[in-house]
Amino acid sequence: MKVSVVGGTGYGAVELIRLLQQHPFVEIEVIISHSNAGKSIHELYPHLTDVVEISLEKMDIEKISKKVELVFFATPAGVTSRLIPEFMEKGITCIDLSGDFRLKDPALYEEWYNLPPAPHDVLDQAVYGLSEIYEKEIRKAKVIANPGCFPTATLLGLYPLISDDQIDLKSIIIDAKTGVSGAGRSVGLGTHFSEVNENMKAYKLGVHQHIPEIEQVLSWESGKKVIVSFSTHLIPMTRGIMVTAYAELNKKISTTELVFLYEKVYQDHPFVRIRKNGVLPMTKEVSGSNFCDIGLFSDERSGRVTVIAVIDNLVKGASGQAIQNMNLINGWDVRTGLMNLPIYP
């Protein structure tokens, strides 16, 4: 199957290229980068020398649609809302790693992204691509809205509690920490080495664009309007996200019982790994992989639950999940091309 990667010079795109290169059923036919058209991908990423010898091209929808069956979009917000409708007219399956199709309410997208929303008819057709929860819908989709990195870890961490009515929905607090690669490759003061090294900072408090995405899915799954407290922090590492979520329990339940609940919910989903009672996950244990590892603690003294979920933000939080969704669409085993061991140490 021939595919294209649009926005081929960012970290998300180069991670897509790394993973697609080892996929047994896929060939990368076209890589699109308007700003670097004419250059070879290895000129921008020398680690691809003698491995991926593809020249970057400008966007030409007519030309691309004749060469490929599926397009991955690793572009900034505001780009795919214009491009995907045209690709859909050509019958091309689209997997969007940006946020343009994640929010079903156009007004909500406009409010949080400060950009014009995607056309309503295309937005209605887009399926939210959280692979473990919306597998049936993804298998039939032509447009996938790949989840954000923070929502992926957060939602996988909280979903069993929501679906089993174990927590007070008004009490959810989410503390999220990310490595610097989540900010992309563009140079900026906020990701300058001297600013980030030996430092830790909170950012986008109350205004992070992943807030409505998290609330949307939690509301869908609970059948009630959910509002969360969500804070993000930048920490001095390259890859990884750790989400620590807290909530009030509706009834007394032990950590062992919670572990059993989570194991049951995710028993058919190989990329979600549940830690045993007393064992908590670390970001390095999923680095470079498509795994989401989850640890649990029921504090019977306070009546609260703590959920810790870790992912690699560039893999399960972006490119790996996109490929997992491609596997689902094509009826392939979800593990195809994705069973990389985490890089440790």
Side-chain angles (χ1 to χ4, degrees):
M1 181 177 177
K2 294 185 177 181
V3 303
S4 174
V5 176
V6 176
T9 58
Y11 289 144
V14 78
E15 193 71 351
L16 264 173
I17 292 166
R18 178 178 77 90
L19 296 170
L20 289 169
Q21 188 69 14
Q22 64 190 25
H23 197 289
F25 306 143
V26 170
E27 180 182 346
I28 304 170
E29 184 72 12
V30 184
I31 302 175
I32 302 298
S33 173
H34 183 78
S35 59
N36 290 286
K39 295 180 180 178
S40 174
I41 187 67
H42 69 252
E43 291 182 60
L44 302 172
Y45 287 102
H47 71 286
L48 298 177
T49 300
D50 296 334
V51 180
V52 181
E53 300 290 338
I54 299 177
S55 293
L56 303 170
E57 301 181 22
K58 291 185 177 181
M59 174 60 70
D60 185 332
I61 294 174
E62 194 70 36
K63 180 180 176 182
I64 296 170
S65 61
K66 291 178 180 178
K67 290 185 173 184
V68 306
E69 299 170 62
L70 184 146
V71 178
F72 294 96
F73 296 87
T75 54
V79 175
T80 56
S81 59
R82 295 180 283 105
L83 292 178
I84 282 180
E86 295 188 56
F87 275 99
M88 285 185 68
E89 289 180 4
K90 304 290 186 183
I92 304 298
T93 300
C94 300
I95 298 180
D96 181 20
L97 280 72
S98 82
D100 283 8
F101 291 89
R102 293 174 188 159
L103 300 179
K104 287 299 185 181
D105 183 347
L108 207 56
Y109 176 86
E110 207 162 1
E111 175 187 347
W112 286 85
Y113 283 81
N114 296 310
L115 292 166
H120 207 288
D121 59 328
V122 182
L123 200 57
D124 286 344
Q125 296 179 60
V127 170
Y128 188 70
L130 189 56
S131 308
E132 283 74 18
I133 298 178
Y134 300 113
E135 180 177 337
K136 291 181 181 178
E137 294 85 350
I138 291 165
R139 288 185 185 278
K140 299 179 287 185
K142 294 295 289 182
V143 179
I144 295 292
N146 220 58
C149 49
F150 284 127
T152 294
T154 301
L155 295 169
L156 290 175
L158 289 175
Y159 173 68
L161 296 174
I162 297 288
S163 62
D164 203 50
D165 193 26
Q166 289 288 345
I167 57 173
D168 179 355
L169 299 175
K170 295 180 180 179
S171 69
I172 299 172
I173 297 172
I174 302 155
D175 181 294
K177 299 174 179 67
T178 183
V180 185
S181 62
R185 203 184 193 195
S186 299
V187 178
L189 181 62
T191 53
H192 190 290
F193 177 81
S194 298
E195 301 284 332
V196 175
N197 186 46
E198 297 183 19
N199 194 17
M200 182 174 174
K201 66 177 181 180
Y203 68 100
K204 286 190 176 181
L205 290 184
V207 296
H208 201 291
Q209 66 269 26
H210 288 167
I211 293 173
E213 184 180 340
I214 291 168
E215 292 178 344
Q216 172 181 261
V217 176
L218 293 180
S219 298
W220 287 346
E221 295 308 313
S222 67
K224 301 173 184 177
K225 183 174 177 59
V226 178
I227 296 176
V228 301
S229 295
F230 179 74
S231 58
T232 51
H233 305 80
L234 187 66
I235 59 178
M237 67 180 186
T238 302
R239 289 172 178 256
I241 279 177
M242 175 177 281
V243 165
T244 307
Y246 311 90
E248 301 281 345
L249 287 162
N250 287 332
K251 58 186 177 182
K252 188 174 181 180
I253 184 171
S254 69
T255 302
T256 299
E257 289 173 310
L258 283 176
V259 168
F260 178 77
L261 168 65
Y262 275 67
E263 288 177 338
K264 184 178 179 181
V265 169
Y266 291 121
Q267 62 184 344
D268 297 323
H269 301 286
F271 291 119
V272 180
R273 305 188 297 188
I274 310 303
R275 291 288 190 269
K276 298 298 182 182
N277 188 354
V279 182
L280 299 175
M282 300 185 293
T283 56
K284 190 169 281 291
E285 292 169 344
V286 296
S287 183
S289 80
N290 198 51
F291 291 112
C292 174
D293 288 5
I294 298 173
L296 302 155
F297 174 63
S298 175
D299 189 345
E300 297 184 36
R301 184 183 62 85
S302 66
R304 298 188 185 97
V305 61
T306 301
V307 181
I308 296 176
V310 296
I311 62 171
D312 184 314
N313 56 294
L314 294 176
V315 189
K316 185 59 173 170
S319 302
Q321 185 156 224
I323 292 171
Q324 188 176 347
N325 286 328
M326 175 188 70
N327 287 342
L328 286 171
I329 290 169
N330 287 284
W332 303 329
D333 188 311
V334 292
R335 296 168 292 186
T336 308
L338 289 172
M339 287 305 291
N340 301 346
L341 281 175
I343 300 167
Y344 198 95

